[in-house]
Amino acid sequence: GENVEQHPSTLSVQEGDSAVIKCTYSDSASNYFPWYKQELGKRPQLIIDIRSNVGEKKDQRIAVTLNKTAKHFSLHITETQPEDSAVYFCAASRGDYKLSFGAGTTVTVRA
Amino acid sequence: DAGVIQSPRHEVTEMGQEVTLRCKPISGHDYLFWYRQTMMRGLELLIYFNNNVPIDDSGMPEDRFSAKMPNASFSTLKIQPSEPRDSAVYFCASSWGTGGNEQFFGPGTRLTVL
């Protein structure tokens, strides 16, 4: 089955700096790559996703890039704010709706 | 829409007892997923349904776990008998079969087995 690896496991950044989280996947048939944000004690919520026919996607301060050849994708958060502090999960799916999640990255934004 | 609804939000039980977790997906969604989240294992997919039919239950840890979806608006995850290692947060999620794969998560049920 699909194996998704996520790095780093923890990330501390100064407010206003950028944060980058990287994920690799094993199944070349995967074609959908969402990112979920989970605040402490809350449910995971989708923040951005990308499909295999697109190399990059942006939504305000967040962006995701996908390199199908290398089988990796990344989340970029610019101008980080305290409310960006959370656990971020990447995931991959081959279109059968079954998501395989990475282990998560705990992001802490220092004021 | 109220989103995905799960009950109970918290459950504390003793080892050996039966536990039933409940989920109401978003109306119109035809996929329903059950996940377990622990610090050690992260977010694990246990089972998912399409149009009330179980499609993949390969993530169900053992025979003590069972899930049903008797209709489009209700699903249960049952653990019998429960064990301390079952302690986790259990999330239900739902999605549309077309128009994208976004999964909408419920608030979760925090299960503690003593």
Side-chain angles (χ1 to χ4, degrees):
Chain A
E2 174 68 277
N3 181 45
V4 178
E5 295 192 353
Q6 184 172 347
H7 300 280
S9 58
T10 61
L11 181 59
S12 180
V13 296
Q14 190 70 36
E15 183 177 357
D17 288 350
S18 295
V20 180
I21 303 169
K22 299 181 179 180
C23 291
T24 60
Y25 60 98
S26 60
D27 188 348
S28 57
S30 289
N31 57 12
Y32 174 66
F33 307 92
W35 287 87
Y36 283 80
K37 175 183 179 182
Q38 187 177 26
E39 297 177 356
L40 188 63
K42 301 289 183 63
R43 72 192 77 187
Q45 291 189 295
L46 181 75
I47 55 171
I48 194 168
D49 56 12
I50 192 168
R51 300 182 190 279
S52 59
N53 59 345
V54 175
E56 182 175 0
K57 184 177 179 180
K58 286 185 178 181
D59 183 3
Q60 299 183 337
R61 295 187 298 107
I62 59 175
V64 58
T65 59
L66 171 64
N67 184 326
K68 287 173 53 182
T69 302
K71 290 191 285 188
H72 67 70
F73 56 112
S74 301
L75 178 72
H76 304 252
I77 307 172
T78 59
E79 301 174 17
T80 54
Q81 300 170 4
E83 53 264 36
D84 295 329
S85 295
V87 180
Y88 292 81
F89 293 94
C90 63
S93 168
R94 56 187 300 173
D96 57 357
Y97 306 98
K98 181 177 177 178
L99 287 178
S100 297
F101 282 89
T105 297
T106 301
V107 174
T108 303
V109 180
R110 307 186 307 271
Chain B
D1 200 316
V4 177
I5 298 172
Q6 291 187 247
S7 65
R9 295 292 308 277
H10 302 272
E11 177 81 30
V12 180
T13 190
E14 293 189 347
M15 182 174 63
Q17 297 297 307
E18 177 181 301
V19 174
T20 300
L21 311 181
R22 297 173 176 79
C23 175
K24 176 179 168 52
I26 293 173
S27 177
H29 283 190
D30 54 355
Y31 280 82
L32 184 138
F33 307 83
W34 282 101
Y35 290 91
R36 179 173 67 177
Q37 186 175 40
T38 61
M39 289 295 293
M40 290 295 293
R41 301 176 67 90
L43 261 171
E44 302 174 276
L45 176 66
L46 301 178
I47 184 171
Y48 77 96
F49 296 81
N50 175 221
N51 291 323
N52 314 335
V53 176
I55 302 301
D56 187 338
D57 66 354
S58 60
M60 296 287 261
E62 48 198 277
D63 292 345
R64 297 184 298 106
F65 286 69
S66 63
K68 294 182 180 179
M69 193 165 185
N71 57 62
S73 59
F74 184 66
S75 177
T76 60
L77 178 68
K78 184 178 292 186
I79 308 172
Q80 179 185 25
S82 57
E83 297 183 2
R85 59 193 169 119
D86 302 330
S87 297
V89 179
Y90 291 81
F91 286 103
C92 175
S94 69
S95 70
W96 279 291
T98 58
N101 300 72
E102 179 177 357
Q103 294 183 17
F104 294 81
F105 283 75
T109 295
R110 181 173 295 277
L111 174 65
T112 302
V113 183
L114 303 175

